[in-house]
Amino acid sequence: MNKINTTIIAIDGTAASGKGTLAKRIATHFNYAHLDTGKLYRGLAYLVMRTNTDNNDIDKIISLIPDLHNLDFNNPELISTSVSKTASIISALPPIRQQLLKYQKDFPVISLQKGFAGVVVDGRDIGSIIFPDADIKFFVDADVETRARRRYNELINKENNIDYKSVLSDITQRDYADKTRKVAPLIICDDAIVIDTTNTDIEAMVENAINNINKLL
Ligand code: DC
C-alpha cells in the first residue's frame, strides 16, 4: 500500500497500445476513479492551438492551464493528428510537466474524498515519476504497425486526407519523442507487468490484468 492509503494502479505505454481501454475497464471493474493523463496534455495542446499560442511560449502555455477545468475532455478534436503532434511537443517541456504534476499527484487524495477506494492512472510516466510507489504497474505495448492500424481506423471517419502511411510515420515519431525526451521519458519500470497487445484480444487482456491485480492486492 502506498502512503495515501488508497490503491493506485499505474498504466504506462506507447501511443494506441490499448492502455486507455485497459485503464477504463479496470476502473469500471473495481469501481475506481480513472485519470487519463494524456488528455491533460492533449487538452492543453488544444488550448494552445485554439489561442494561436507559440509551442515555445512557456509562460503563455502555463497561463492556459487553469482553463483545462472548463474544457470538454470528450471533444473529438482532442484525438486529432494536429492535437497529437502539439501534445507531443509541449509534453517534452519541463516547466509544463512540472505544472501538471500537482493535479496528477492530488488525484488519489481527491478521489478518496469522493469515496473511491482506488484509482487507475494511465500515461507515460505514471509508474516512474508520478506514482513510483503505485501498488501495481502495467506497461502496455504492441508492434508499431498494429498500433498505427488501430489509430488509422479510429481517425478514418473523423479526418479528411488520412492515410495509413502518415499515421504510421506520426506514431513512429511520437514513440521516438516520448522515449528519448530528457524529462520523464517513456520507460518500462523494473516492477511493471508488461502486456503485449499485438495479438491479444481486448477481453483476454482485461481478464489477464484483473487476475494479476486480484493476486497482488
Ligand atoms: O496517451 P496519449 O497518446 O493520449 O498522450 C498524448 C501525448 O501526451 C503524448 O505525446 C505523450 C504525452 N504524455 C506524456 O508525456 N505524459 C503522460 N503522462 C501522458 C501523455
Side-chain angles (χ1 to χ4, degrees):
M1 178 72 72
N2 55 76
K3 286 181 219 114
I4 310 165
N5 213 19
T6 185
T7 300
I8 299 179
I9 299 177
I11 305 184
D12 290 301
T14 48
S17 59
K19 63 183 185 313
T21 306
L22 180 65
K24 270 189 224 139
R25 291 287 300 270
I26 292 175
T28 305
H29 181 88
F30 290 99
N31 194 25
Y32 287 174
H34 171 220
L35 176 64
D36 171 356
T37 62
K39 286 266 176 83
L40 296 178
Y41 293 96
R42 285 176 182 274
L44 191 56
Y46 174 74
L47 293 174
V48 164
M49 290 169 66
R50 206 178 61 184
T51 53
N52 290 321
T53 301
D54 190 290
N55 288 339
N56 296 309
D57 189 344
I58 291 183
D59 290 340
K60 177 82 191 293
I61 299 175
I62 289 175
S63 78
L64 296 171
I65 290 177
D67 296 343
L68 284 174
H69 289 288
N70 304 318
L71 192 72
D72 170 14
F73 283 99
N74 293 318
N75 181 343
E77 272 291 297
L78 262 57
I79 65 152
S80 67
T81 310
S82 52
V83 167
S84 301
K85 282 185 184 159
T86 304
S88 182
I89 295 167
I90 64 168
S91 65
L93 303 170
I96 306 298
R97 300 199 75 83
Q98 188 60 34
Q99 292 290 324
L100 292 176
L101 203 71
K102 184 171 158 41
Y103 179 80
Q104 297 172 75
K105 283 198 182 275
D106 285 349
F107 185 69
V109 183
I110 290 165
S111 302
L112 190 62
Q113 286 162 359
K114 288 184 180 165
F116 290 100
V119 295
V120 184
V121 184
D122 71 276
R124 299 289 191 290
D125 60 342
I126 310 306
S128 57
I129 308 278
I130 308 292
F131 299 119
D133 56 356
D135 300 87
I136 298 177
K137 298 178 187 177
F138 290 105
F139 186 93
V140 188
D141 201 1
D143 78 37
V144 70
E145 283 87 7
T146 305
R147 291 185 287 120
R149 179 66 55 194
R150 283 179 195 155
R151 189 47 53 88
Y152 172 76
N153 288 338
E154 227 174 41
L155 293 171
I156 185 91
N157 295 322
K158 296 190 178 108
E159 289 186 21
N160 298 326
N161 304 323
I162 192 95
D163 71 286
Y164 169 75
K165 276 204 171 139
S166 65
V167 175
L168 177 63
S169 150
D170 283 350
I171 289 203
T172 306
Q173 279 173 37
R174 276 214 294 142
D175 279 356
Y176 180 77
D178 290 345
K179 288 176 181 172
T180 58
R181 68 180 175 218
K182 289 206 172 68
V183 183
L186 176 66
I187 55 158
I188 306 178
C189 295
D190 289 344
D191 50 351
I193 298 169
V194 178
I195 300 178
D196 187 317
T197 65
T198 309
N199 297 309
T200 320
D201 87 291
I202 177 88
E203 295 306 323
M205 163 179 87
V206 172
E207 195 183 319
N208 188 17
I210 288 173
N211 287 341
N212 272 309
I213 296 168
N214 280 328
K215 257 188 252 156
L216 289 165
L217 286 184

